[in-house]
């Protein structure tokens, strides 16, 4: 009888795979048009791919366990895979924003402020509703997110979000063996 992998061991390969897929998509988008990195569509597509891959690998792991997995195991698998994926993504983003293109953060911060102001105008807010000081604060806050400290802080906050996502995925991936109920 073959030994079953623990959720930790089973989550390493999927986490690395998802992280590398995420990085590949990020770098492809960067090379095509870096301003798309702050696009809502890019974020939405990335989330759909992310959830699809986690569910795919989770179901694969559940099959390895005999077709059934309790909530705790599903949560552990999901959380560990997401954290590993996040670490791979963090390393890749640090390389992108700090080594490959240190000016990218400034470009994206400027683009983000422009997008925000354009959206405000579309909703009927006057162009001068925000003062220059407020706009500069918004630009600086966005730019701070692209610094090394900002990226590490965002990853720390993301751990809480990862736990919530893993709870949702755990509920999706769990499957009880009904034959054991009496």
């Amino acid at each position: 009888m073959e030994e079953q992998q623990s959720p930790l061991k089973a989550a390493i390969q999927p986490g690395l795979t998802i992280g590398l897929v995420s990085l590949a998509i990020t770098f492809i988008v960067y090379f095509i048009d870096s301003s798309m990195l702050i696009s809502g569509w890019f974020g939405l597509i990335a989330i759909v791919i992310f959830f699809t891959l986690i569910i795919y690998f989770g179901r694969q792991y559940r099959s390895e366990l005999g077709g059934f997995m309790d909530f705790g195991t599903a949560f552990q698998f999901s959380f560990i895979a997401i954290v590993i994926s996040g670490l791979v993504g963090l390393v890749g983003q640090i390389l992108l924003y700090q080594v490959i293109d240190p000016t990218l953060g400034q470009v994206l911060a400027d683009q983000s402020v422009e997008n925000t102001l354009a959206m405000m105008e579309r909703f009927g807010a006057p162009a001068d509703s925000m003062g220059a000081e407020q706009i500069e604060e918004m630009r600086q806050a966005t730019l701070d997110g692209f610094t090394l400290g900002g990226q590490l802080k965002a990853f720390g906050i993301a751990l809480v979000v990862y736990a919530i996502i893993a709870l949702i995925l755990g509920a999706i991936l769990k499957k009880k063996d009904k034959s054991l109920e009496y």
Side-chain angles (χ1 to χ4, degrees):
M1 181 174 185
E2 79 180 58
E3 186 178 321
Q4 294 178 347
Q5 288 187 359
S6 69
L8 171 65
K9 285 184 178 180
I12 292 172
Q13 186 64 37
L16 290 172
T17 302
I18 294 166
L20 292 173
V21 167
S22 169
L23 265 182
I25 292 169
T26 300
F27 277 92
I28 289 169
V29 169
Y30 166 72
F31 288 120
I32 292 173
D33 180 6
S34 63
S35 67
M36 288 174 33
L37 290 171
I38 58 169
S39 157
W41 287 106
F42 173 71
L44 183 63
I45 290 170
I47 288 172
V48 167
I49 291 171
F50 174 79
F51 271 98
T52 302
L53 288 173
I54 285 284
I55 290 171
Y56 170 78
F57 287 120
R59 286 186 175 170
Q60 224 177 20
Y61 179 54
R62 186 175 67 196
S63 292
E64 290 174 16
L65 295 176
F68 303 101
M69 183 165 47
D70 64 22
F71 176 78
T73 303
F75 169 76
Q76 289 173 359
F77 172 83
S78 299
F79 184 68
I80 293 165
I82 292 169
V83 169
I84 291 170
S85 171
L87 285 170
V88 170
L90 176 64
V91 169
Q93 288 181 4
I94 288 172
L95 285 173
L96 179 61
Y97 293 113
Q98 309 305 319
V99 178
I100 296 170
D101 191 351
T103 63
L104 181 60
Q106 181 67 46
V107 171
L108 294 178
D110 292 342
Q111 184 66 42
S112 178
V113 169
E114 287 177 25
N115 290 351
T116 301
L117 293 174
M119 185 181 300
M120 287 174 59
E121 287 179 14
R122 282 194 303 266
F123 284 114
D128 59 352
S129 64
M130 289 183 70
E133 187 176 303
Q134 287 177 310
I135 292 172
E136 188 52 39
E137 284 178 24
M138 184 177 11
R139 179 178 282 112
Q140 189 59 45
T142 305
L143 183 58
D144 288 347
F146 294 109
T147 64
L148 180 59
Q151 289 175 304
L152 294 173
K153 180 181 172 185
F155 182 75
I157 294 168
L159 288 174
V160 174
V161 175
Y162 293 166
I164 294 167
I165 292 170
L167 286 170
I168 294 166
L169 290 168
I172 292 170
L173 293 172
K174 73 174 173 61
K175 187 174 182 182
K176 287 184 178 182
D177 185 355
K178 304 269 188 212
S179 68
L180 298 177
E181 294 178 6
Y182 22 112

